[in-house]
Amino acid sequence: MSVLFIPIAALALISGCATSSAIRPLPKPEVIASDIRDADAQVEPEPHSEVPMEINEDVQKWIDYFAIKDRVRFESFLLRGEYYRETIEAILTEHQVPRDMYYLAMIESGFMTQATSHASAVGVWQFIRATGRRYGMRQSAYLDERRDVIQATHAAARYLRDLHQEFGSWYLAMAAYNAGEGRIRRAIRIGRSRDFWVLVQKRVLPRETKNYVPKFLAAWIIGRKPAKFGFELPEQIESRYPNVEKATVPGSVHLNEIARVLGLEPNSLAPLNPHLIHGITPPEKTTYDIWVPQGQAAQLLAPEMPLARVTNPAALLPVRYRVRTGDTLEAIAKRHRISLASLKRLNGLDSDRIYRGQSLKVRPSSS
């Protein structure tokens, strides 16, 4: 366990509601330190897998921000996260990654499966396209597995474990998750240190990355004891991510058709499969695995339960696409299953040059 740095301001916040006008006696610092150690003991027991708990000036700044200035939004993150918490923590533990990395997803996306950043990072864990593909998440005009909470959490856990193996520090692993491995290698080389805080002091990290670990620590601290900071969360969470299992179904089948066969309500499978962009299994696949409530996959194997296919899946695709950072004309063409030549012809382009925000026609309006 690393040395704890707990300033008086932090003690004041931890001791009670950050916005309360009532004056309460502060608990003894050693009591708070003991609480933190007890909470850390719930993380993976091997010493090398623990995330060090440190409260310093940088962390305190983000505690203040989340608990006071950004209070309403942060509370929505806490509430939304509880729906996924058990599922995410179980997957992290399966990969021998500290369970409290759950809070990394909180600062990445606020647990929104449809979250998309200015850099075109997508999903709860905010994977960019290249890293998503590297960790096995497929993407097409019909499919973006970065939006699948289960697949993305498995990928994030493997990625974080790989980063920890390379850098030997969970702080540097998180920094690399944010900035990329190359930037952290360069920062270590220039700063001549593998201590995250030393690299911050030497100003060799990007500004966003310098704040990334303190934001994680602040979210972690508040998330451990939300009531101490005045967040009134329900004692019993009414709804949690359900137990699910994979079901193999044909390509080009709508989720509502699958729900009908299973006797489920329309649109009930969409929240379990947010990665199916248009609500159908990818037509380019002979079969595809989707998530269904546990115990129901076997019903789809019965011969008397045929699934009707969507006859013209292309009609569900958008007519236009807005160019994002990192896009290339070739990648856009491949994603929308159109030849590069056809895409250029549709848009009257003489070259492969495109710009962010450009609106491109990706199929004829009459189709």
Side-chain angles (χ1 to χ4, degrees):
M1 172 63 67
S2 65
V3 177
L4 298 173
F5 298 89
I6 309 182
I8 297 299
L11 298 182
L13 279 173
I14 292 174
S15 67
C17 174
T19 58
S20 174
S21 58
I23 300 175
R24 299 179 184 178
L26 293 176
K28 294 181 180 180
E30 58 267 25
V31 173
I32 296 175
S34 176
D35 287 346
I36 293 172
R37 291 191 191 97
D38 289 344
D40 277 346
Q42 297 176 17
V43 184
E44 291 300 308
E46 298 83 357
H48 73 274
S49 70
E50 292 180 354
V51 179
M53 169 66 72
E54 184 166 337
I55 304 175
N56 57 29
E57 188 175 327
D58 291 333
V59 177
Q60 180 64 55
K61 178 184 72 174
W62 286 104
I63 290 176
D64 292 346
Y65 183 78
F66 290 146
I68 301 172
K69 295 181 181 179
D70 198 30
R71 184 177 190 82
V72 174
R73 193 170 71 112
F74 191 80
E75 185 170 59
S76 73
F77 292 175
L78 290 170
L79 289 168
R80 193 181 300 118
E82 286 302 319
Y83 179 74
Y84 298 107
R85 184 175 192 135
E86 290 183 357
T87 299
I88 290 176
E89 289 185 342
I91 294 172
L92 293 173
T93 301
E94 177 185 335
H95 291 276
Q96 297 184 325
V97 171
R99 292 191 311 168
D100 284 325
M101 284 295 183
Y102 160 85
Y103 293 102
L104 202 67
M106 179 180 287
I107 66 169
E108 281 285 348
S109 67
F111 299 106
M112 293 188 290
T113 59
Q114 302 301 319
T116 303
S117 76
H118 63 86
S120 298
V122 165
V124 166
W125 289 96
Q126 289 289 280
F127 276 96
I128 61 172
R129 288 189 178 277
T131 310
R133 289 194 183 97
R134 196 200 321 170
Y135 282 87
M137 290 180 286
R138 294 166 289 185
Q139 301 149 48
S140 73
Y142 298 92
L143 176 72
D144 193 338
E145 291 178 340
R146 295 175 295 171
R147 300 186 189 279
D148 180 346
V149 173
I150 294 177
Q151 291 192 70
T153 302
H154 278 289
R158 298 200 324 268
Y159 187 27
L160 286 165
R161 188 183 60 198
D162 290 347
L163 292 171
H164 182 261
Q165 288 175 350
E166 174 174 353
F167 296 109
S169 157
W170 285 118
Y171 287 175
L172 290 181
M174 286 187 276
Y177 191 95
N178 174 253
E181 303 96 307
R183 284 187 178 180
I184 302 307
R185 292 184 195 115
R186 180 174 179 272
I188 291 171
R189 186 172 66 253
I190 296 173
R192 297 184 179 182
S193 175
R194 285 181 171 266
D195 185 313
F196 172 80
W197 303 110
V198 171
L199 297 180
V200 169
Q201 291 172 355
K202 291 188 175 183
R203 300 182 178 181
V204 294
L205 293 171
R207 182 178 179 181
E208 180 182 331
T209 307
K210 180 183 73 172
N211 287 311
Y212 191 73
V213 172
K215 285 170 72 174
F216 163 81
L217 290 169
W220 183 15
I221 292 163
I222 297 173
R224 288 272 185 83
K225 302 284 184 180
K228 295 282 187 180
F229 298 89
F231 290 100
E232 298 180 1
L233 304 182
E235 292 185 9
Q236 297 293 328
I237 303 301
E238 294 182 4
S239 177
R240 293 192 184 275
Y241 193 83
N243 293 326
V244 295
E245 63 183 358
K246 286 183 178 180
T248 302
V249 297
S252 200
V253 175
H254 201 285
L255 288 173
N256 283 346
E257 169 67 4
I258 300 168
R260 180 190 66 79
V261 169
L262 293 176
L264 303 175
E265 291 294 320
N267 302 317
S268 60
L269 292 179
L272 303 181
N273 298 276
H275 52 294
L276 297 179
I277 300 171
H278 305 291
I280 66 169
T281 53
E284 66 270 21
K285 304 291 183 184
T286 304
T287 61
Y288 185 77
D289 289 342
I290 67 164
W291 298 113
V292 298
Q294 195 166 50
Q296 299 200 336
Q299 296 182 51
L300 297 172
L301 300 176
E304 66 274 13
M305 293 291 189
L307 292 166
R309 296 194 181 195
V310 176
T311 55
N312 185 19
L316 298 173
L317 297 178
V319 174
R320 305 196 73 87
Y321 174 79
R322 191 167 298 279
V323 177
R324 299 173 179 173
T325 302
D327 277 337
T328 65
L329 204 60
E330 184 179 4
I332 293 171
K334 185 176 180 181
R335 200 178 313 148
H336 290 88
R337 305 187 73 194
I338 183 174
S339 71
L340 180 58
S342 297
L343 182 60
K344 292 170 74 171
R345 186 168 56 252
L346 271 174
N347 292 277
L349 300 176
D350 297 324
S351 71
D352 293 352
R353 194 171 180 182
I354 53 176
Y355 56 88
R356 180 183 171 187
Q358 182 177 3
S359 179
L360 295 176
K361 186 177 284 189
V362 291
R363 68 182 178 91
S365 304
S366 59
S367 63

